[in-house]
Amino acid sequence: MGQDLRNYAPDDEAFWSSTGRAIANRNLWISIPSLLCGFAVWLYWGIITVQMINLGFAFENSELFTLAAIAGLTGATLRIPSTFFIRIAGGRNTIFFTTALLMIPAIGAGLALQNPDTPLWQFQILAFLSGIGGGNFSSSMSNISFFFPKKIQGYALGMNAGLGNFGVTTMQIVIPLVMTFGLFGGDPMILENTSGTLIGKIPAGTPTYIHNAGFVWLLLLIPLAIAGWLGMNNIRDEHVSPDIPSPVGAFGIITFMLIIGFVCAGFGLWLMLPENVGGSGFGVSKWIVLPIVIALTVLGLKMIPGQVGQNLTRQYKIFGNKHTWAMTVIYTMTFGSFIGYSAALALTIKVVFGFSHLEVGGVMTHDTVNPNGPSALMFAWMGPFIGALIRPIGGSLADKLGGARVTQWISIVMVASALGVAYFIQAAYNSATPEQYFYPFLGLFLILFAATGIGNGSTFRTIAVAFNKEQAGPVLGWTAAVAAYGAFIIPKVFGEQMKAGTPEIALYGFAIFYGVCIVINWWFYLRPGAYIKNP
């Protein structure tokens, strides 16, 4: 434990049985809860902002939507440098250090939430730093891919990602519960609106310890950082991490590469956001900003001098492979949808079903509290729970039936589910009694989440089979990086369309994108004469 490994050969049956399986499983079971915490810290703004509304924090709904969007954009951008950490810094060094870094936004959120007068810019900085948790996925998946033989890559990657994705569900269950009592002391705030947990509603007037939403993750992060340092390994073979520096040197390289990602994400947010929330006011379209941020990050990393830049040049060969681009689009459909809907669902339930939508003077209004509305915190955890729980099943199904075939089936389900959700969300957002449409809306959304979970497992199986050993890890990281922009795009699109009074348009757009992915998957992997048949 904790030693660097050489001549690690998981595809050698004798080595795997005698030595490799135990090493791989130990690294996997430290990696999973570390990744879980990364997801939790990255996406907890979707729950925290709902409670900020309930506690009467003096921010507009549109301002609160920016917190989830900021964390989403930063987390996705940080996945780009994280894609390449393992070769440059080593798996053990990377997982330990990036897990330890999560303590910074967790402590900061706990402190800021103790004061209802904390200015918006402080919450924006903390949301920005929370992106570290989003970036951790790419390095974690790339690392685990090297420990397991190809024949069970679907299972291994599905377990790491699927149980890691449980960070979303864990966060959505744990945060509402720990806010109900003084776990870390401090003064409570009083609910102005009804809140809830998965157990039931909490009435207005109840004391609430919202700062626990940040502090609670320290209970996991501290022991996990210790476990990562003592129990994980760097693989020093040529195709993994042959020339890593000392641990301190590795931490320095990781920090510098993360700073490049932060700067590029910050520039993109500045271009996009209005002046009243700290942006430029230029209002540059997100569809222009995202390619700029991605390109700047990739180029910025390549300009790092010395061995790091040379190493990245070698790994950048993945961009010359057409399958990298096909799988990037397809994985954006599955994981991008999962993470984007996870970030947006709680606030969407609150805004659509928590208010009555009434016509006043010929104008539709959306600010009358609906006393019969469902509690977002009672239901929002269900979708991410199903999507994460079913992901390992998707990986195992793909191991047996082929990844592309499973992906094709779930893509069709995603188109149908998105269209159904669009119908019910449109009906609810134009109704004085939106609660009557809630359960059909929720049921179809849960089917949509299940499809994304299965597809997350099947697409990673396709990548593991379609690429050689050296490229598979970086491709896993790169596709996860681009797909993670769903955590920015989906809340942003929902927020824009709700402001326009047409939330169903968002779902129609997503359904069209899923249809495009069906065609790409068929052309590359399922048609007669496909480039690779059903990998």
Side-chain angles (χ1 to χ4, degrees), residues 334 338 386-398 403 406-407 409-410 447-460:
T334 58
F338 169 82
I386 290 172
L389 181 69
I390 209 166
R391 181 167 183 157
I393 297 172
S396 296
L397 274 176
V406 175
T407 299
W409 292 340
I410 64 94
I447 293 171
L448 187 54
F449 266 107
T452 66
I454 293 172
N456 286 337
S458 64
T459 47
F460 264 18

Side-chain angles (χ1 to χ4, degrees), residues 125-318:
I125 289 174
L126 291 166
F128 194 67
L129 293 174
S130 295
I132 294 169
N136 290 358
F137 183 81
S138 286
S139 53
S140 178
M141 295 300 285
S142 177
N143 184 49
I144 288 301
S145 72
F146 295 118
F147 280 95
F148 286 83
K150 273 203 169 186
K151 67 181 181 180
I152 56 170
Q153 286 278 315
Y155 161 80
L157 294 171
M159 289 294 288
N160 192 53
L163 297 182
N165 288 166
F166 262 114
V168 183
T169 302
T170 303
M171 171 271 294
Q172 290 176 331
I173 293 174
V174 167
I175 287 180
L177 288 173
V178 298
M179 288 191 292
T180 61
F181 61 100
L183 178 62
F184 296 96
D187 296 325
M189 299 180 198
I190 305 301
L191 283 174
E192 295 183 5
N193 299 315
T194 300
S195 182
T197 68
L198 81 163
I199 299 170
K201 287 188 175 183
I202 300 175
T206 303
T208 297
Y209 298 82
I210 190 173
H211 53 276
N212 289 353
F215 291 143
V216 69
W217 303 106
L218 298 177
L219 300 179
L220 288 174
L221 289 170
I222 293 171
L224 281 171
I226 296 170
W229 183 250
L230 297 178
M232 297 191 79
N233 305 95
N234 301 313
I235 300 176
R236 298 296 298 272
D237 295 329
E238 176 59 30
H239 67 286
V240 188
S241 311
D243 301 309
I244 59 175
S246 68
V248 173
F251 302 156
I253 291 170
I254 290 171
T255 300
F256 185 66
M257 292 173 71
L258 285 175
I259 288 172
I260 291 174
F262 272 125
V263 169
C264 295
F267 177 65
L269 288 164
W270 179 78
L271 285 176
M272 208 166 5
L273 293 176
E275 282 186 275
N276 67 318
V277 291
S280 64
F282 296 155
V284 180
S285 167
K286 59 186 171 296
W287 306 112
I288 296 173
V289 168
L290 291 188
I292 290 174
V293 170
I294 293 170
L296 286 177
T297 307
V298 170
L299 291 173
L301 292 170
K302 195 170 188 301
M303 290 172 66
I304 298 174
Q307 187 178 8
V308 173
Q310 295 169 9
N311 212 319
L312 285 170
T313 298
R314 175 170 176 164
Q315 295 188 73
Y316 278 11
K317 289 179 181 177
I318 63 174

Side-chain angles (χ1 to χ4, degrees), residues 25-91:
N25 285 330
R26 185 180 68 247
N27 280 268
L28 176 64
W29 288 106
I30 297 173
S31 175
I32 286 171
S34 301
L35 184 55
L36 182 149
C37 286
F39 272 101
V41 172
W42 180 31
L43 294 174
Y44 58 24
W45 294 104
I47 295 297
I48 290 172
T49 50
V50 171
Q51 199 70 326
M52 289 169 78
I53 293 174
N54 293 333
L55 289 167
F57 276 68
F59 302 120
E60 299 292 330
N61 288 350
S62 59
E63 292 175 329
L64 294 176
F65 262 112
T66 67
L67 298 182
I70 287 169
L73 179 67
T74 307
T77 303
L78 293 185
R79 286 190 177 193
I80 298 174
S82 298
T83 293
F84 308 106
F85 285 167
I86 303 306
R87 183 170 185 86
I88 293 169

Side-chain angles (χ1 to χ4, degrees), residues 322-384:
K322 59 180 175 287
H323 295 288
T324 299
W325 302 104
M327 291 311 305
T328 297
V329 175
I330 293 169
Y331 193 60
T332 298
M333 171 186 66
T334 58
F335 182 78
S337 297
F338 169 82
I339 206 67
Y341 293 142
S342 296
L345 183 57
L347 207 48
T348 299
I349 292 174
K350 179 71 178 178
V351 172
V352 174
F353 298 95
F355 297 88
S356 297
H357 310 290
L358 307 171
E359 192 170 313
V360 179
V363 177
M364 183 64 72
T365 63
H366 307 283
D367 54 5
T368 302
V369 173
N370 177 15
N372 300 314
S375 167
L377 302 186
M378 281 180 63
F379 295 99
W381 63 273
M382 294 180 178

Side-chain angles (χ1 to χ4, degrees), residues 483-535:
Y485 282 104
F488 165 73
I489 287 289
I490 288 180
K492 192 87 166 59
V493 170
F494 267 126
E496 291 168 353
Q497 292 303 320
M498 283 179 189
K499 189 173 182 180
T502 54
E504 71 279 1
I505 297 296
L507 275 303
Y508 292 146
F510 301 146
I512 291 169
F513 173 64
Y514 302 155
V516 171
C517 292
I518 289 172
V519 174
I520 293 173
N521 188 57
W522 174 81
W523 178 260
F524 273 79
Y525 306 115
L526 291 174
R527 67 182 170 90
Y531 297 115
I532 304 173
K533 194 66 176 178
N534 191 27

